[in-house]
Every structure is written in C-alpha cells, then in structure tokens.
Amino acid sequence: MDNYERQSIKELLTEKYGDKITEAILGEFDRLSKIEEDRETIKQKMRKFVQNLLEKHGFDSEAFNNITPLIIFVSIG
C-alpha cells in the first residue's frame, strides 16, 4: 500500500471510527504484513482483529459489515 492509499484509508476510517481504532487497524496490518506472506491469511486475520476491536468498542455488526470492503482493500494493497 502506498502513502496515498494509506492516507485515504486513514481518513475514511478516522471519520467513522476515530483515531484510536484507525491506528489499531493500520498498526495490525503493518504487523501482519511483516510476518505473513499470504494475502488471504492477512485478510482473514484482519477481519477477526477488526471484528473483535469493533465489538470491544461497542460497534454493532453493521459497522463491521461497512468496514469489510476496506479490510479487503487494505489486505490486498
């Protein structure tokens, strides 16, 4: 993911979920990108991480469904 894509994703996430959740999501992606080579594995782990994170912060399943396309994009990017 290049800097432009990262900034765009960061802005979208921050607008909907706030700074803390955004930084947690991007940080987890960075961490997984360093240890995992398989993009499908990264995507699955990111989905689980984000689902748990959103539930922990009181977001409903609709919030998770809305963020899923971004998770896929970030994971592929």
Side-chain angles (χ1 to χ4, degrees):
M1 167 173 32
D2 66 26
N3 285 337
Y4 177 76
E5 291 171 331
R6 185 179 185 87
Q7 187 60 35
S8 296
I9 290 169
K10 185 175 181 177
E11 288 172 9
L12 286 170
L13 289 173
T14 301
E15 183 179 310
K16 285 191 172 220
Y17 305 103
D19 288 330
K20 286 184 178 182
I21 291 175
T22 299
E23 291 303 320
I25 292 170
L26 293 175
E28 181 67 3
F29 172 74
D30 292 342
R31 187 188 74 77
L32 286 173
S33 295
K34 292 177 184 171
I35 60 173
E36 296 287 346
E37 291 184 18
D38 180 47
R39 296 206 184 275
E40 188 61 33
T41 301
I42 293 171
K43 184 170 66 174
Q44 290 172 1
K45 288 183 177 183
M46 284 297 298
R47 286 177 58 89
K48 184 69 173 169
F49 175 81
V50 171
Q51 184 176 20
N52 290 337
L53 181 69
L54 291 179
E55 285 176 3
K56 179 181 173 185
H57 288 276
F59 289 94
D60 61 13
S61 60
E62 186 175 335
F64 177 71
N65 292 337
N66 290 338
I67 200 172
T68 299
L70 276 176
I71 296 168
I72 294 168
F73 179 78
V74 168
S75 301
I76 294 171

